[in-house]
Amino acid sequence: MFPREFAWGAATAAYQIEGGWQADGKGPNIWDIFCHEKGRVFEEHNGDVACNSYELWEKDLECIQQLGLTHYRLSLSWARLLPDGTTPHVNQKGVQYYNKVIDDLLACNVSPMVTLYHFDLPQALQDQGGWKSPDIATLFDSYAKFCFQTFGDRVKLWITINEPYVCAKFGHEDGIHAPGLKEPGTAAYLVGHNMLRAHAMAWHSYNSFYRTKQKGAVSLAINSDWHEPLHAGCTEDIAATERYFAFTLGWFAWPVFVTGDYPELMRSSIDAQSKKMGCSGSSRLPSFSKDEPAILGTADFFALNYYTSRKVKPGGGCGKMCMVCDQDAEVVLDPSWPICGVSWLAVVPHGLRKLLKYIKDTFNNPAVYITENGFSQVGPLQIEDVQRSGFYKDTILEVAKAIQEDEVNVRGYFAWSLLDNFEWADGFSVRFGLFHVDFADAKRSRTIYQSGRDQQKKRCHLTCHIEKNPSKTQLSYC
Ligand code: PNW
C-alpha cells in the first residue's frame, strides 16, 4: 500500500543528458573541461552531446508520459543559466529552455523536482578556487535566489546540492570526478564544509524571501549506502561501522538534522589520526562560525540517494594522510549479494528498508523522498532487462514494507534514471536508464526497456485504481 499522494518519479542530471555544451551562450563547467582532458573518462567520452536533451526535450517528455510518472527530477545547469556563474550575466536562452521544460511538465500533470547543483560548477568559479573557496557559499546563494525567483512560482520541490559526499571525495580527494583534484585528507573536508554553508544559506534565503509566497520545500540530496558490521557481534567491526556512518551519511545529515555540527566521532577520529601522524594545530575538519546562518534545521525533508549495501571492518587506509585512514573503516562486499553492471553496485533491496528505518530513528522521523535508486547494465544491448525489472519490483516492495510495517514517512521514489546517460568517469559504458538511448545514432533514439514497460504497467494499474476509488487514501500497488 502506498499513500495516494506518493510521488512516482524518475531522475536525471543536466550534464548527464543535455549536451549542447556550447549552445546558445552556455558557459563551460568543470565537467566540460575535465572530459576534454586525456585519460580522465572511459575512452575519452564526454557530455558534449550526451542524450542531446537540450534539443530533444520533447522526446524526454514523451518518455516521462509513457511511464505515467507523477514527478520528474531534473537538474539545472548553472553555467547554462549564468555562463560565468554570477548573476549579473544571465543567459536568457538558458532561462527559456528550463521555462519550457517546467511548463511542459506541468501541462502534462507532472511535478518537477529541481536540483540546483549536480556536479557541474561553472569553470569561471573553479578558476576562483571552486568549492574550496569560502566565497563559493555566497555565490551559490545568489544563484539559488535567482532560480527561486525565476522558476519558484512553478517548482515546489527543490534540492540545493546533489551528493556533497561524492563531490567532495571523488572530486577533491580521489580526483576521479571533476575538478580532478587529489588532495587527500584535507580538500574534501573543506569542500564538504563549504557545500553545507552554501546549502544552508540557500535554504535560509528560501525560508526568508520565497517560502510564504511559493510554498515549496527545500533539501539537499544525501547519498548513503546501508552498512553492517562484517561479523555481527564483533566489537571492532561494529565500531568501524559506526565510524563509516559518521564519515558518510553523518557527515552531512548530522549537521542539518541533529546538532548543527559534524558527528563527534568524525571529528575525534580525524584529530586522533592527525595526532598519530605528528600533525598538531587546528583540526583538518573546519568548524562552523556562529556569525553565519545556522546549519541545523535547513532541510524540509530528507532526500536520499540509495544504491547499495556494504559490510564494514576496520582498516583500509594507505598509511598516509587520507580520509580512509581517518575513518579507519573499510567496506567489503557480501559474496551472497549479486553485482549488477559496475563493480560497486551490489543489489541489496532490503538494505534500503533498513536504511529508511535508521533514518527515521536517527533523524527524528523526517519526511523522506528517495531521490535516486537504480540498477546498471554494462556490455551488449539488453532491452529485455529482466534483472533490472526484478530489482525495481523487489526494491519497491521494500519501500512498501518500510511505510507499512516500520512507519517510515516515505513520500516518493525516483528511479535513476529516466534515460541511459553519461555515467561520469564510466562515460556511456554503464547504462542506468528505463529507456535505452542509442548513442551511435545522431537522433539519439530512445527505446523503452522491459523494466520501463513493467513500471508503466504498474503505474497504469495504480491510476485506474485511483480513478475507481476516488476517496481512498491508501492504494495497493501490485
Ligand atoms: C549518483 N559510488 O552518483 C549520482 O547522483 C548520479 O549522477 C549517478 O549517475 C548515479 O549515482 C549512478 O552512479 C554516485 O561509487 C556515483 O558509490 C558513484 C557512487 C555513488 C553515487
mmCIF file of all heavy atoms in Angstrom, residues 7 55 66 90-91 163 180 183 186 190 204-205 212 215 249 270 285 351 361 388 416 419 428 442:
data_model
loop_
_atom_site.group_PDB
_atom_site.id
_atom_site.type_symbol
_atom_site.label_atom_id
_atom_site.label_comp_id
_atom_site.label_asym_id
_atom_site.label_seq_id
_atom_site.Cartn_x
_atom_site.Cartn_y
_atom_site.Cartn_z
ATOM 1 N N ALA A 7 4.848 10.269 -4.587
ATOM 2 C CA ALA A 7 5.477 10.748 -5.821
ATOM 3 C C ALA A 7 6.181 9.590 -6.527
ATOM 4 O O ALA A 7 7.075 8.960 -5.954
ATOM 5 C CB ALA A 7 6.488 11.843 -5.481
ATOM 6 N N GLU A 55 18.235 19.657 -27.179
ATOM 7 C CA GLU A 55 17.429 19.795 -28.402
ATOM 8 C C GLU A 55 16.239 18.856 -28.417
ATOM 9 O O GLU A 55 15.271 19.087 -29.126
ATOM 10 C CB GLU A 55 18.305 19.521 -29.636
ATOM 11 C CG GLU A 55 19.303 20.642 -29.870
ATOM 12 C CD GLU A 55 20.178 20.405 -31.100
ATOM 13 O OE1 GLU A 55 19.972 19.410 -31.814
ATOM 14 O OE2 GLU A 55 21.075 21.238 -31.311
ATOM 15 N N GLN A 66 5.010 8.280 -21.116
ATOM 16 C CA GLN A 66 4.826 6.855 -21.380
ATOM 17 C C GLN A 66 4.899 6.049 -20.087
ATOM 18 O O GLN A 66 4.171 5.086 -19.906
ATOM 19 C CB GLN A 66 5.918 6.407 -22.343
ATOM 20 C CG GLN A 66 5.504 5.235 -23.223
ATOM 21 C CD GLN A 66 6.624 4.865 -24.191
ATOM 22 O OE1 GLN A 66 7.371 5.734 -24.656
ATOM 23 N NE2 GLN A 66 6.732 3.588 -24.494
ATOM 24 N N VAL A 90 23.078 36.936 -17.101
ATOM 25 C CA VAL A 90 22.076 35.880 -17.251
ATOM 26 C C VAL A 90 21.972 35.501 -18.733
ATOM 27 O O VAL A 90 21.911 36.368 -19.597
ATOM 28 C CB VAL A 90 20.700 36.363 -16.745
ATOM 29 C CG1 VAL A 90 19.633 35.300 -17.000
ATOM 30 C CG2 VAL A 90 20.765 36.702 -15.262
ATOM 31 N N ASN A 91 21.964 34.190 -19.005
ATOM 32 C CA ASN A 91 21.773 33.721 -20.376
ATOM 33 C C ASN A 91 20.281 33.426 -20.599
ATOM 34 O O ASN A 91 19.772 32.392 -20.163
ATOM 35 C CB ASN A 91 22.620 32.460 -20.592
ATOM 36 C CG ASN A 91 22.397 31.835 -21.953
ATOM 37 O OD1 ASN A 91 22.021 32.515 -22.911
ATOM 38 N ND2 ASN A 91 22.623 30.531 -22.057
ATOM 39 N N GLU A 163 24.418 15.123 -3.571
ATOM 40 C CA GLU A 163 25.519 14.295 -3.097
ATOM 41 C C GLU A 163 26.802 15.077 -2.790
ATOM 42 O O GLU A 163 27.835 14.892 -3.459
ATOM 43 C CB GLU A 163 25.823 13.187 -4.106
ATOM 44 C CG GLU A 163 24.638 12.282 -4.338
ATOM 45 C CD GLU A 163 24.963 11.060 -5.189
ATOM 46 O OE1 GLU A 163 26.022 11.044 -5.829
ATOM 47 O OE2 GLU A 163 24.155 10.129 -5.193
ATOM 48 N N GLY A 180 38.925 16.992 -10.488
ATOM 49 C CA GLY A 180 40.073 16.105 -10.602
ATOM 50 C C GLY A 180 41.209 16.398 -9.640
ATOM 51 O O GLY A 180 42.353 16.074 -9.942
ATOM 52 N N GLU A 183 43.855 15.784 -3.267
ATOM 53 C CA GLU A 183 44.459 16.423 -2.087
ATOM 54 C C GLU A 183 43.949 15.686 -0.852
ATOM 55 O O GLU A 183 43.125 16.213 -0.093
ATOM 56 C CB GLU A 183 44.083 17.914 -2.062
ATOM 57 C CG GLU A 183 44.598 18.659 -3.284
ATOM 58 C CD GLU A 183 44.097 20.101 -3.376
ATOM 59 O OE1 GLU A 183 43.537 20.620 -2.392
ATOM 60 O OE2 GLU A 183 44.262 20.686 -4.454
ATOM 61 N N THR A 186 42.445 16.561 3.220
ATOM 62 C CA THR A 186 42.217 17.982 3.520
ATOM 63 C C THR A 186 41.090 18.598 2.677
ATOM 64 O O THR A 186 40.095 19.070 3.222
ATOM 65 C CB THR A 186 43.500 18.821 3.281
ATOM 66 O OG1 THR A 186 43.951 18.582 1.939
ATOM 67 C CG2 THR A 186 44.596 18.472 4.254
ATOM 68 N N LEU A 190 37.107 20.487 3.414
ATOM 69 C CA LEU A 190 36.863 21.902 3.148
ATOM 70 C C LEU A 190 35.682 22.067 2.182
ATOM 71 O O LEU A 190 34.784 22.896 2.375
ATOM 72 C CB LEU A 190 38.142 22.465 2.511
ATOM 73 C CG LEU A 190 38.391 23.946 2.532
ATOM 74 C CD1 LEU A 190 38.297 24.465 3.948
ATOM 75 C CD2 LEU A 190 39.788 24.236 1.943
ATOM 76 N N HIS A 204 18.043 29.260 3.911
ATOM 77 C CA HIS A 204 17.601 30.440 4.665
ATOM 78 C C HIS A 204 17.032 31.497 3.716
ATOM 79 O O HIS A 204 16.043 32.161 4.047
ATOM 80 C CB HIS A 204 18.749 31.014 5.500
ATOM 81 C CG HIS A 204 19.010 30.221 6.750
ATOM 82 N ND1 HIS A 204 18.190 30.265 7.856
ATOM 83 C CD2 HIS A 204 19.983 29.329 7.068
ATOM 84 C CE1 HIS A 204 18.648 29.450 8.799
ATOM 85 N NE2 HIS A 204 19.738 28.871 8.341
ATOM 86 N N SER A 205 17.633 31.653 2.548
ATOM 87 C CA SER A 205 17.095 32.619 1.581
ATOM 88 C C SER A 205 15.676 32.220 1.180
ATOM 89 O O SER A 205 14.768 33.053 1.125
ATOM 90 C CB SER A 205 17.970 32.670 0.322
ATOM 91 O OG SER A 205 19.211 33.243 0.637
ATOM 92 N N THR A 212 6.802 31.906 1.924
ATOM 93 C CA THR A 212 5.420 32.319 2.166
ATOM 94 C C THR A 212 4.647 32.374 0.860
ATOM 95 O O THR A 212 3.517 31.911 0.772
ATOM 96 C CB THR A 212 5.400 33.721 2.827
ATOM 97 O OG1 THR A 212 6.449 33.771 3.771
ATOM 98 C CG2 THR A 212 4.086 34.006 3.486
ATOM 99 N N LYS A 215 5.529 28.550 -1.281
ATOM 100 C CA LYS A 215 5.055 27.348 -0.565
ATOM 101 C C LYS A 215 5.700 26.044 -1.011
ATOM 102 O O LYS A 215 5.042 25.016 -1.111
ATOM 103 C CB LYS A 215 3.528 27.230 -0.681
ATOM 104 C CG LYS A 215 2.799 28.423 -0.109
ATOM 105 C CD LYS A 215 1.290 28.210 -0.098
ATOM 106 C CE LYS A 215 0.593 29.325 0.638
ATOM 107 N NZ LYS A 215 0.830 30.670 0.069
ATOM 108 N N LEU A 249 26.971 9.241 5.661
ATOM 109 C CA LEU A 249 25.658 9.819 5.941
ATOM 110 C C LEU A 249 25.732 10.901 7.025
ATOM 111 O O LEU A 249 25.168 11.989 6.901
ATOM 112 C CB LEU A 249 24.716 8.682 6.375
ATOM 113 C CG LEU A 249 23.299 9.000 6.784
ATOM 114 C CD1 LEU A 249 22.525 9.636 5.653
ATOM 115 C CD2 LEU A 249 22.574 7.726 7.236
ATOM 116 N N ILE A 270 39.352 12.108 13.107
ATOM 117 C CA ILE A 270 40.276 12.898 12.283
ATOM 118 C C ILE A 270 41.390 13.470 13.155
ATOM 119 O O ILE A 270 42.581 13.383 12.813
ATOM 120 C CB ILE A 270 39.518 14.042 11.557
ATOM 121 C CG1 ILE A 270 38.549 13.463 10.528
ATOM 122 C CG2 ILE A 270 40.491 15.025 10.899
ATOM 123 C CD1 ILE A 270 37.581 14.466 9.919
ATOM 124 N N LEU A 285 39.204 19.185 10.006
ATOM 125 C CA LEU A 285 37.767 19.360 9.788
ATOM 126 C C LEU A 285 37.386 20.770 10.247
ATOM 127 O O LEU A 285 37.515 21.094 11.419
ATOM 128 C CB LEU A 285 36.982 18.309 10.594
ATOM 129 C CG LEU A 285 35.493 18.246 10.323
ATOM 130 C CD1 LEU A 285 35.202 17.792 8.893
ATOM 131 C CD2 LEU A 285 34.806 17.296 11.309
ATOM 132 N N GLY A 351 18.438 -3.626 2.002
ATOM 133 C CA GLY A 351 19.268 -2.614 2.656
ATOM 134 C C GLY A 351 18.569 -1.262 2.680
ATOM 135 O O GLY A 351 18.740 -0.472 3.611
ATOM 136 N N ASP A 361 14.765 6.689 12.772
ATOM 137 C CA ASP A 361 15.154 6.665 14.181
ATOM 138 C C ASP A 361 16.238 7.691 14.512
ATOM 139 O O ASP A 361 16.265 8.238 15.603
ATOM 140 C CB ASP A 361 15.660 5.270 14.567
ATOM 141 C CG ASP A 361 14.559 4.231 14.454
ATOM 142 O OD1 ASP A 361 13.370 4.634 14.393
ATOM 143 O OD2 ASP A 361 14.866 3.025 14.396
ATOM 144 N N ARG A 388 16.886 -6.082 -14.090
ATOM 145 C CA ARG A 388 16.591 -4.731 -13.594
ATOM 146 C C ARG A 388 15.122 -4.623 -13.201
ATOM 147 O O ARG A 388 14.779 -4.008 -12.188
ATOM 148 C CB ARG A 388 16.943 -3.691 -14.655
ATOM 149 C CG ARG A 388 16.712 -2.259 -14.161
ATOM 150 C CD ARG A 388 16.844 -1.245 -15.272
ATOM 151 N NE ARG A 388 18.208 -0.818 -15.517
ATOM 152 C CZ ARG A 388 18.767 -0.752 -16.720
ATOM 153 N NH1 ARG A 388 18.075 -1.099 -17.781
ATOM 154 N NH2 ARG A 388 20.002 -0.335 -16.864
ATOM 155 N N TRP A 416 16.623 6.122 -10.743
ATOM 156 C CA TRP A 416 17.759 6.622 -11.524
ATOM 157 C C TRP A 416 18.011 5.597 -12.613
ATOM 158 O O TRP A 416 18.421 4.504 -12.280
ATOM 159 C CB TRP A 416 19.029 6.817 -10.678
ATOM 160 C CG TRP A 416 20.107 7.393 -11.551
ATOM 161 C CD1 TRP A 416 21.024 6.697 -12.292
ATOM 162 C CD2 TRP A 416 20.319 8.781 -11.839
ATOM 163 N NE1 TRP A 416 21.781 7.574 -13.026
ATOM 164 C CE2 TRP A 416 21.377 8.854 -12.761
ATOM 165 C CE3 TRP A 416 19.700 9.970 -11.412
ATOM 166 C CZ2 TRP A 416 21.843 10.071 -13.269
ATOM 167 C CZ3 TRP A 416 20.168 11.172 -11.915
ATOM 168 C CH2 TRP A 416 21.238 11.214 -12.830
ATOM 169 N N LEU A 419 16.715 7.931 -18.524
ATOM 170 C CA LEU A 419 17.414 7.558 -19.765
ATOM 171 C C LEU A 419 18.799 7.005 -19.464
ATOM 172 O O LEU A 419 19.438 7.431 -18.500
ATOM 173 C CB LEU A 419 17.650 8.815 -20.624
ATOM 174 C CG LEU A 419 16.481 9.698 -20.988
ATOM 175 C CD1 LEU A 419 16.999 10.972 -21.658
ATOM 176 C CD2 LEU A 419 15.526 8.969 -21.914
ATOM 177 N N PHE A 428 29.727 6.420 -21.376
ATOM 178 C CA PHE A 428 28.458 5.793 -21.774
ATOM 179 C C PHE A 428 28.503 4.275 -21.645
ATOM 180 O O PHE A 428 27.598 3.588 -22.118
ATOM 181 C CB PHE A 428 28.111 6.209 -23.209
ATOM 182 C CG PHE A 428 27.935 7.698 -23.333
ATOM 183 C CD1 PHE A 428 28.943 8.499 -23.872
ATOM 184 C CD2 PHE A 428 26.777 8.319 -22.871
ATOM 185 C CE1 PHE A 428 28.801 9.878 -23.954
ATOM 186 C CE2 PHE A 428 26.633 9.697 -22.947
ATOM 187 C CZ PHE A 428 27.640 10.482 -23.490
ATOM 188 N N ALA A 442 22.607 9.617 -34.561
ATOM 189 C CA ALA A 442 22.602 11.084 -34.438
ATOM 190 C C ALA A 442 21.310 11.563 -33.775
ATOM 191 O O ALA A 442 21.295 12.603 -33.111
ATOM 192 C CB ALA A 442 22.764 11.724 -35.807
#
